[in-house]
Amino acid sequence: MPPSCCASLSQYTHHHLVVFLLTFFSYVLLHASRKTFSNVKVSISAQWTPSILNDSSSAFSPGETWQDNRLFEDEKQATLFLGILDSIFLFSYALGLYLSGVIGDRVNLRYVLCFGLCGSAAVEFVFGTLTEWLHIYNIYLYSSLWVLNGLLQSAVWPCVVAVMGNWFGKAGRGFVFGLWSACASVGNILGAFLASSVLKYGYEYAFLVTSVVQFAGGVVVFFGLLTSPKEVGLSLESETGLGPIETDTDSHKPLMSDEEDEVEVEVYGSRGQSVEQPVEPPAESPQAIGFLKAFCLPGVLPYSLAYACLKLVNYSFFFWLPFYLSNNYKWKEAQADRLSVWYDVGGIIGGTLQGLISDFMGKRAPVLVVSLMLAIGALVGYSRSPNDQVINGVLLAITGFFIGGPSNIISSAISADLGRQDALRGSKEALATVTGIVDGTGSIGAAAGQYLVSLIESKLGWMSVFYFFIVMTAGSIVFITPLLVRELRAMWTERRARQRQL
């Protein structure tokens, strides 16, 4: 039975709280600015098409139209290009994750994190605000800016997960990371609120507000974030609030490992009580792991492939939900933006509760598989939601609970487990690399999915899109199943061993 979450939390210092909040809100601001693009798609589509073919154009471009400079002949072409932009962003984001994870294990995490936050804010300001103010409408410019934005944003997630992994050990990790991983959903809610608040003035002001706030957040993180307990002279005992032997063992052993930890205890015992001793065994010095070695670590490939299927579904809701609500139910764009936050509310609750349950079970895969099986039913139910905002919001929250919850667990707690497993003894600097691999592979799946969503919707309709989501959710279950079998076998072995002792 894992240690009590309450007992573990009571041992943390105020430094842990500051790190938790700074990393949490840095990704909140990043996702808020990212969410802005999905929340203003109807406005952008109206601006990019002739007003004679778009009844809503006058609402977003009062007093003038630019028929000679229009990008597309009709809304369908504009919608398809918006899907292409989503795919462009996610493909560049995925490529950047593979690179930034490796860089994050070799360069000061604070520098990489702040560079990604501030650089991305500047690009979004140019993309959404400056181009509109200057009346510059060019698909090649938009595409190039979105490639750059994806590369810059990719620097953030591996860094914040690595910083959290440096400060928080395995004890209670499912709950702590499950709660912390709500940062993306909170960012979505904040982004929806900010966008709907200023959308009446024009979509360019939605980009302006979120990019300015994100840039300011990057400055705060640069001056306030501590990436490791060693920066304030804390010993290993203070990193997780546990005893010295438990700390080192928990930091390197994931929940999916069945190996005993006597060897790890001996290694720590040979090290002494102070992390500042000048002489340490070579095996204990933290060295960055290679990319290929990290990819071949146990559990990394199946969880990466499962996350590719799951992130495709999760990000399709992220990018297309306000657009779907506005077009399918004919609700106002601001109403659709506000209603879409219920999916994120469900994801916040799901990630926290499922992480807590996995802590008490000592295993992650069983919780994920059960949740994803229920997610298939939730998708079927939501695809048949009536034209009622209350019922739609409830079904959205349920769907977010069973899809967003597992997505948060894989991208945070499981990534930390994989980056601190026994195979990494003597090479602790691997968490950012492993996180980049898992999230990067997931982003490749999500990137391909965004174009497929727009293509399927234009050819077959939204119901076929939901069938596509169901297939992808089932695919994630298939990839996790071998890990589930291994964990269930380990649980059965442990149970039989205890019965023999009795």
Side-chain angles (χ1 to χ4, degrees), residues 109-369:
L109 291 168
R110 182 162 53 91
Y111 297 158
V112 181
L113 173 58
C114 296
F115 178 77
L117 282 172
C118 295
S120 171
V123 171
E124 288 164 353
F125 170 77
V126 174
F127 177 92
T129 304
L130 192 61
T131 55
E132 180 62 26
W133 283 350
L134 299 179
H135 299 290
I136 300 174
Y137 307 101
N138 185 282
I139 59 174
Y140 301 107
L141 176 61
Y142 288 137
S143 300
S144 300
L145 287 172
W146 232 221
V147 168
L148 181 58
N149 188 36
L151 293 173
L152 290 168
Q153 288 203 15
S154 69
V156 177
W157 183 251
C159 291
V160 292
V161 173
V163 172
M164 284 289 292
N166 290 340
W167 281 90
F168 295 88
K170 175 186 159 187
R173 179 180 287 160
F175 174 73
V176 172
F177 274 75
L179 181 62
W180 176 84
S181 64
C183 55
S185 297
V186 173
N188 294 343
I189 295 172
L190 178 63
F193 172 75
L194 293 176
S196 61
S197 299
V198 300
L199 190 58
K200 58 185 177 182
Y201 303 109
Y203 73 83
E204 64 270 24
Y205 290 98
F207 281 101
L208 174 63
V209 171
T210 53
S211 61
V212 169
V213 173
Q214 179 182 320
F215 189 92
V219 174
V220 172
V221 168
F222 181 82
F223 290 103
L225 180 64
L226 298 172
T227 61
S228 170
K230 296 179 182 179
E231 294 187 17
V232 289
L234 293 179
S235 63
L236 286 176
E237 292 92 329
S238 300
E239 290 186 22
T240 60
L242 303 174
I245 294 178
E246 291 183 16
T247 299
D248 198 60
T249 303
D250 285 344
S251 296
H252 292 75
K253 183 177 178 182
L255 289 179
M256 65 280 295
S257 174
D258 302 322
E259 298 182 18
E260 299 297 329
D261 49 5
E262 287 81 5
V263 175
E264 198 71 30
V265 172
E266 291 181 354
V267 171
Y268 187 88
S270 67
R271 188 180 200 181
Q273 297 298 317
S274 174
V275 297
E276 297 182 358
Q277 289 187 357
V279 179
E280 294 183 352
E284 291 293 307
S285 59
Q287 299 175 352
I289 192 174
F291 178 84
L292 292 179
K293 184 177 180 181
F295 211 105
C296 294
L297 288 172
V300 171
L301 181 59
Y303 271 122
S304 297
L305 295 175
Y307 192 50
C309 297
L310 188 56
K311 191 169 184 177
L312 184 153
V313 180
N314 197 43
Y315 262 55
S316 294
F317 274 90
F318 170 79
F319 281 117
W320 289 102
L321 184 55
F323 188 86
Y324 165 74
L325 294 173
S326 180
N327 280 264
N328 193 59
Y329 297 105
K330 307 305 178 184
W331 296 332
K332 294 181 179 179
E333 190 174 18
Q335 292 177 323
D337 289 345
R338 287 191 291 268
L339 187 63
S340 67
V341 305
W342 287 107
Y343 178 84
D344 297 298
V345 171
I348 293 172
I349 300 173
T352 303
L353 289 182
Q354 292 171 35
L356 183 61
I357 293 170
S358 70
D359 277 342
F360 281 114
M361 290 184 61
K363 307 295 178 183
R364 311 277 191 220
V367 179
L368 294 179
V369 170

Side-chain angles (χ1 to χ4, degrees), residues 71-82:
L71 287 178
F72 304 103
E73 295 294 334
D74 52 45
E75 284 192 19
K76 286 190 175 181
Q77 293 183 15
T79 301
L80 188 61
F81 180 67
L82 290 172

Side-chain angles (χ1 to χ4, degrees), residues 8-55:
S8 300
L9 292 175
S10 65
Q11 310 262 338
Y12 293 137
T13 67
H14 72 281
H15 293 295
H16 292 83
L17 178 61
V18 172
V19 168
F20 184 99
L21 292 177
L22 283 178
T23 53
F24 183 90
F25 282 105
S26 63
Y27 205 70
V28 164
L29 298 179
L30 186 79
H31 242 262
S33 62
R34 191 184 299 179
K35 181 67 172 176
T36 299
F37 180 66
S38 64
N39 283 343
V40 299
K41 278 183 175 178
V42 174
S43 303
I44 293 178
S45 177
Q47 187 74 341
W48 286 354
T49 54
S51 58
I52 191 172
L53 297 177
N54 195 320
D55 295 335

Side-chain angles (χ1 to χ4, degrees), residues 43-119:
S43 303
I44 293 178
S45 177
Q47 187 74 341
W48 286 354
T49 54
S51 58
I52 191 172
L53 297 177
N54 195 320
D55 295 335
S56 60
S57 179
S58 58
F60 302 104
S61 301
E64 71 174 82
T65 55
W66 43 276
Q67 305 286 357
D68 295 336
N69 294 329
R70 65 181 183 270
L71 287 178
F72 304 103
E73 295 294 334
D74 52 45
E75 284 192 19
K76 286 190 175 181
Q77 293 183 15
T79 301
L80 188 61
F81 180 67
L82 290 172
I84 293 174
L85 282 179
D86 288 338
S87 295
I88 286 174
F89 170 83
L90 286 172
F91 272 122
S92 59
Y93 182 73
L95 176 62
L97 282 168
Y98 290 128
L99 299 175
S100 60
V102 175
I103 295 172
D105 282 330
R106 290 161 173 80
V107 182
N108 190 300
L109 291 168
R110 182 162 53 91
Y111 297 158
V112 181
L113 173 58
C114 296
F115 178 77
L117 282 172
C118 295

